[in-house]
């Protein structure tokens, strides 16, 4: 399983960042990347003071839902 993560940083201070974790899990890395880009595109809608700066698709060990 794969989990999408997006790092969003405060525009006024790019050292203040938060990591957003998808609450969905994906069977393929390709589908995870699609979700990560969807999440990044929605950051400015929900967090107007933040900007997405990177994404990651994290492979989860069997039986794990997060890491």
């Amino acid at each position: 399983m794969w989990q999408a993560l997006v790092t969003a940083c405060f525009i006024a201070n790019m050292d203040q960042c938060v990591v957003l974790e998808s609450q969905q899990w994906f069977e393929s890395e390709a589908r995870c990347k699609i979700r990560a880009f969807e999440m990044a595109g929605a950051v400015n809608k929900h967090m107007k003071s933040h900007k997405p700066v990177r994404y990651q698709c994290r492979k989860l060990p069997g039986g794990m839902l997060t890491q």
Side-chain angles (χ1 to χ4, degrees), residues 31-42:
R31 180 60 187 104
C32 178
K33 286 181 182 180
I34 291 169
R35 177 62 183 142
F37 284 114
E38 290 171 354
M39 290 169 60

Side-chain angles (χ1 to χ4, degrees), residues 4-29:
L5 306 164
V6 172
T7 302
C9 296
F10 185 51
I11 294 170
N13 181 356
M14 293 298 278
D15 291 328
Q16 291 182 329
C17 301
V18 294
V19 177
L20 309 171
E21 296 184 3
S22 174
Q23 296 301 302
Q24 298 171 315
W25 301 274
F26 304 97
E27 293 291 333
S28 70
E29 185 177 14

Side-chain angles (χ1 to χ4, degrees), residues 1 3 21-22 24-25 58 60-67:
M1 298 295 259
Q3 182 181 31
E21 296 184 3
S22 174
Q24 298 171 315
W25 301 274
R58 179 168 56 194
L60 298 172
M64 299 292 291
L65 297 176
T66 190
Q67 216 173 18

